[in-house]
């Protein structure tokens, strides 16, 4: 789980230029300032890095929601 | 206002989505490529089209004496090679630029040949301010040199929206367009624009920067029809057709054409950028700028600031609002991170914003700029 969380941090920093050093599983995407396009970019990058299809994923509210969908 | 007989709208139906999904992974035919080489005349024409007067890009003698030793093109020149985006699938469903994330791997030196490639990589549904269905479409644009090496690569997002949803939302009904500039405001704007200039040959060193440093504001506007035409001449973002060729195209692509209410001429839906009938046909109150054109302005704001010795490594922009004809755009930036990467490159990250004269944020993003270092 720590590796996946670290990868999510890396995506937020690489793709969205967000300082994610304080990111936890409980962090909400809203608290990170992500809008709908940011969330989609996060999902697209996660699909690529984790080789998973999230196109039918439900709305993601927290980092934990995303982590639950990753292999 | 809108005569529905003028054009043919498309809908995002389950069947249309299935057909669209089947296209994921397709290497797209790049049918809107234009310049394929870095040469003086093409670069000058492109620079004319975006209002770029930096002699590093337009004056061979100046460029030869620069740190590059030869003419180079601004990184945004790639938009004239291929604007990064291909309109494909979902006929009659309107498309807007949503974001560009460009990474530049090589400077564009005179004599280089550039071959573009494009791939449709997927889409995701999205909620927007418009009523009805919408989705974000993802494409990847690659630019290759003669040896097949990457010059640059971009992740491009486009927003696909049903035109009726845009019309129903009527989101911009309270905007006064064209903008009611006073003569004094226009005079002030003009003076500020004429005072703009690139940094030039004086190096901007990495060590001279501090977090929070502001970039000089670059102003474009008020945006006029000629600004759009000049961009089309210099960058040719789409393949425009005239007379019988336009009529033949309209017959085979009815979703992408509109008949002007006044002139009764056939106009491409691309005319949303300069033609009121076309803009209103897709639910917009007034013609608006071209996304790739606005990206070029952002790159100019960065190259003006970083000086001749700087090198743009990455530029990401997100289009937040429309820039209508008569609007002015103020492009700003703040140094938000200073770091040395694993290759020993000294890099300044800049958080970028662009706002209009109403104070509305129309674009934001960030950029990574490699700068010379005072350390050996």
């Amino acid at each position: 789980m720590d590796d996946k969380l670290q990868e999510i941090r890396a995506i937020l920093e690489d793709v969205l230029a967000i300082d994610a050093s304080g990111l936890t599983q409980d962090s909400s995407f809203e608290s990170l300032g992500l809008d709908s396009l940011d969330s989609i970019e996060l999902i697209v990058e996660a699909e690529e890095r984790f080789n998973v299809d999230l196109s039918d994923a439900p709305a993601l509210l927290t980092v934990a929601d995303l982590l639950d969908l990753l292999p | 206002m809108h005569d529905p007989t003028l054009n043919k709208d498309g809908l995002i139906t389950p069947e249309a989505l299935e057909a669209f999904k089947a296209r994921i992974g397709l290497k797209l035919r790049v049918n809107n490529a234009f310049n394929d080489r870095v040469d003086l005349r093409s670069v000058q024409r492109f620079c004319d089209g975006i209002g770029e007067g930096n002699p590093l890009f337009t004056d061979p003698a100046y460029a030869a004496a620069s740190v590059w030793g030869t003419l180079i093109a601004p990184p945004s020149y790639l938009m004239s090679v291929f604007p990064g985006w291909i309109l494909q699938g979902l006929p009659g469903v309107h498309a807007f630029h949503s974001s560009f994330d460009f990474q530049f791997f090589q400077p564009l030196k005179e004599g280089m040949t550039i071959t573009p490639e494009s791939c449709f990589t997927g889409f995701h549904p999205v909620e927007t301010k418009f009523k009805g269905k919408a989705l974000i479409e993802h494409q990847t644009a690659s630019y290759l040199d003669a040896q097949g090496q990457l010059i640059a690569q971009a992740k491009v997002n486009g927003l696909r929206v049903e035109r009726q949803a845009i019309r129903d939302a009527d989101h911009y009904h309270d905007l006064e367009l064209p903008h009611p500039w006073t003569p004094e405001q226009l005079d002030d704007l003009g003076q500020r624009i004429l005072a703009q200039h690139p940094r030039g040959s004086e190096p901007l060193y990495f060590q001279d920067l501090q977090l929070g440093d502001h970039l000089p504001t670059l102003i474009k506007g008020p945006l006029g029809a000629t600004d759009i035409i000049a961009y089309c001449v210099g960058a040719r973002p789409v393949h425009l057709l005239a007379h019988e060729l336009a009529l033949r195209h309209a017959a085979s692509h009815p979703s992408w054409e509109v008949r002007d209410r006044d002139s009764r001429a056939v106009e491409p839906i691309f005319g949303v950028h300069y033609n009121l009938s076309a803009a209103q046909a897709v639910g917009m109150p007034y013609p608006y700028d071209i996304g790739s054109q606005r990206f070029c302005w952002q790159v100019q704001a960065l190259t003006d600031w970083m000086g001749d010795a700087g090198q743009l490594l990455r530029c990401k922009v997100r289009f937040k609002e429309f820039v209508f004809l008569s609007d002015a755009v103020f492009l700003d930036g703040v140094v938000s991170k200073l770091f040395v990467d694993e290759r020993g490159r000294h890099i300044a990250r800049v958080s970028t914003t662009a706002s209009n004269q109403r104070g509305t944020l129309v674009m934001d993003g960030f950029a990574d700029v490699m700068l010379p270092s005072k350390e050996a």
Side-chain angles (χ1 to χ4, degrees), chain B residues 9 82-84 88 117 154 205-206 233 251 253-254 312-313 329 370:
Chain B
D9 289 344
F82 163 53
Q88 58 96 31
E117 292 182 353
Y205 287 103
F206 178 81
V233 170
H253 299 79
L312 185 62
L313 301 179
V329 180
M370 180 169 66

Side-chain angles (χ1 to χ4, degrees), chain B residues 43-237:
Chain B
V43 174
Q44 285 177 331
R45 194 165 45 221
F46 170 75
C47 289
D48 287 346
I50 60 169
E52 166 67 84
N54 192 333
L56 184 64
F57 309 131
T58 55
D59 181 341
Y62 179 96
S66 74
V67 295
W68 301 100
T70 185
L71 185 87
I72 62 170
S76 56
Y77 180 73
L78 293 174
M79 286 298 182
S80 77
V81 174
F82 163 53
W85 171 263
I86 293 173
L87 184 59
Q88 58 96 31
L90 298 176
V93 175
H94 202 65
F96 298 112
H97 287 99
S98 179
S99 70
F100 286 119
D101 187 355
F102 262 86
Q103 295 198 62
F104 304 98
F105 305 114
Q106 300 182 45
L108 303 176
K109 293 185 177 178
E110 186 172 24
M112 287 176 78
T113 58
I114 308 172
T115 303
E117 292 182 353
S118 176
C119 184
F120 172 41
T121 56
F123 64 88
H124 286 82
V126 66
E127 291 185 9
T128 71
K129 60 193 167 214
F130 304 116
K131 298 174 181 174
K133 293 175 185 164
L135 52 89
I136 295 287
E137 175 184 344
H138 319 297
Q139 297 183 14
T140 298
S142 303
Y143 301 83
L144 308 169
D145 66 14
Q147 288 73 44
Q149 300 295 309
L150 270 177
I151 296 170
Q153 193 162 52
K155 291 186 175 179
V156 182
N157 288 320
L159 176 64
R160 305 297 300 270
V161 191
E162 294 173 348
R163 292 174 187 153
Q164 190 59 49
I166 307 170
R167 291 192 288 268
D168 289 346
D170 193 20
H171 189 71
Y172 300 100
H173 67 275
D174 58 348
L175 281 187
E176 188 173 355
L177 294 167
H179 184 74
W181 294 97
T182 66
E184 293 76 21
Q185 288 172 328
L186 290 172
D187 185 51
D188 177 63
L189 196 68
Q191 288 185 29
R192 290 180 65 185
I193 290 171
L194 290 173
Q196 296 172 170
H197 58 84
R199 181 183 182 90
S201 59
E202 182 188 355
L204 176 64
Y205 287 103
F206 178 81
Q207 287 80 5
D208 291 336
L209 292 177
Q210 293 189 331
L211 294 179
D213 282 354
H214 283 260
L215 277 62
T217 301
L218 180 73
I219 306 172
K220 296 286 185 180
L223 189 65
T226 299
D227 296 317
I228 302 291
I229 294 168
Y231 183 70
C232 289
V233 170
R236 207 200 70 164

Side-chain angles (χ1 to χ4, degrees), chain A residues 13-18 35-38 40-41 43-45 47-48 53-56, chain B residues 21 98-99 101 123-127 136 138 155 157 314 316 318-320 337 349 366:
Chain A
E13 291 179 0
D14 293 348
V15 179
L16 302 173
I18 290 174
D35 63 17
S36 56
L37 177 59
D38 291 329
I40 287 175
E41 288 195 85
I43 289 170
V44 169
E45 193 67 21
E47 286 179 323
E48 196 172 307
D53 180 5
L54 301 174
S55 55
D56 295 323
Chain B
K21 198 168 187 175
S98 179
S99 70
D101 187 355
F123 64 88
H124 286 82
V126 66
E127 291 185 9
I136 295 287
H138 319 297
K155 291 186 175 179
N157 288 320
R314 184 176 181 185
K316 178 174 181 177
R318 305 187 321 155
F319 302 100
K320 308 289 285 187
K337 189 176 180 182
R349 172 160 289 179
F366 65 91

Side-chain angles (χ1 to χ4, degrees), chain B residues 299-320:
Chain B
V299 170
Q300 184 185 343
L302 293 160
T303 54
D304 275 4
W305 166 73
M306 69 191 189
D308 297 352
Q311 189 176 347
L312 185 62
L313 301 179
R314 184 176 181 185
C315 184
K316 178 174 181 177
V317 298
R318 305 187 321 155
F319 302 100
K320 308 289 285 187

